[in-house]
Every structure is written in C-alpha cells, then in structure tokens.
Amino acid sequence: MSLLMRVAPNLVQAIRAFNVGDLQQEAGRLGHHFLYAHCANTLTKQQVCARIGENFYFPKPCSKNFDALRTCLTETIHAAGPQPGFIVVLEQLPSAQKFDKEARENLLDVFRDAAEFWAEKKVPFRVFYSFATVPPTA
C-alpha cells in the first residue's frame, strides 16, 4: 500500500504526519526523484534559495532568486528529458525578520507553480514543508 495513496499527485502541503525517512523510501519505491533541503540557519531569501540550490545539486544560477529557482524546477529539468516524478521536502523554513511570512508564501508559490507545471505534463510533483520552530539568531 502506498504511503501517498491519499495524497494528490501534484501539491504543496505541510509535512504534518509524514516523516522525511518514510517520504524518501516512498520516492525510491515509486522511482521518483527525492529532493531534500534543510533550511535551518538561513535568514534571508538569498540564503534560502542558495541552500535549496545546494541541497538539490542545482547549478548556482538556479539558486540566485525565486524566479531562477522556478525556472530550474520546471523548464530546466523538463529540458533534461522525461521525468518519473518528484517528492520534495523543504524542512525548517525560517521564520526571521528578513524571511517573513510573505517571503515564505512567495517561496511556496514557486513550488506551487512547479507542481502545476508538472501536473500539466502528468508528472507527480509533491512538496512537503515545515517551518522552523525556533527563530534562528542573527
């Protein structure tokens, strides 16, 4: 029985009852890419983009801002050839003065846009995220 049986194939949602290890195993079982970024100790949009780019092994230009990240998650990967599907985990997104609620929503919108892009291509793209529970110190 699939761990994601009741989860839509293209969505962005809080990780809630799922854990990272189980999601990684499910990605392997399904033959999907598993993309993981642990964003603790990031404080700004640039740091968050850089951490995601590093952890996803994206080229540096993909990590410069939200637009570049969106392009890499969609068009760049699509140009690389057929894709089996994706399970993405964004863990500990910061809650900091320079990465406030609006910045977090803008980042999640990037991943929502990617989920829509892949849905049009009939490729599963599931994103799970969590927020940092304790704001990092500057």
Side-chain angles (χ1 to χ4, degrees), residues 29-65:
R29 190 185 75 71
L30 295 171
H32 292 184
H33 299 292
F34 180 74
L35 302 174
Y36 174 82
H38 193 271
C39 297
N41 303 318
T42 58
L43 299 171
T44 66
K45 178 172 103 171
Q46 291 77 18
Q47 290 173 342
V48 171
C49 286
R51 179 71 52 85
I52 291 169
E54 290 168 9
N55 288 182
F56 290 6
Y57 299 101
F58 286 167
K60 281 203 188 269
C62 291
S63 309
K64 296 221 179 273
N65 57 47

Side-chain angles (χ1 to χ4, degrees), residues 45 49 61-62 64-74 110:
K45 178 172 103 171
C49 286
C62 291
K64 296 221 179 273
N65 57 47
F66 290 157
D67 290 333
L69 183 59
R70 179 182 291 108
T71 299
C72 200
L73 286 166
T74 57
V110 167

Side-chain angles (χ1 to χ4, degrees), residues 3-25:
L3 174 70
L4 302 174
M5 183 173 74
R6 294 193 173 131
V7 177
N10 296 82
L11 85 157
V12 177
Q13 75 170 41
I15 198 164
R16 294 188 194 113
F18 296 104
N19 73 56
V20 175
D22 289 345
L23 291 170
Q24 185 175 18
Q25 277 187 324

Side-chain angles (χ1 to χ4, degrees), residues 108-123:
L108 293 175
D109 283 344
V110 167
F111 284 90
R112 288 180 188 109
D113 291 348
E116 288 178 25
F117 174 90
W118 289 109
E120 290 173 6
K121 309 215 174 333
K122 309 279 190 258
V123 174

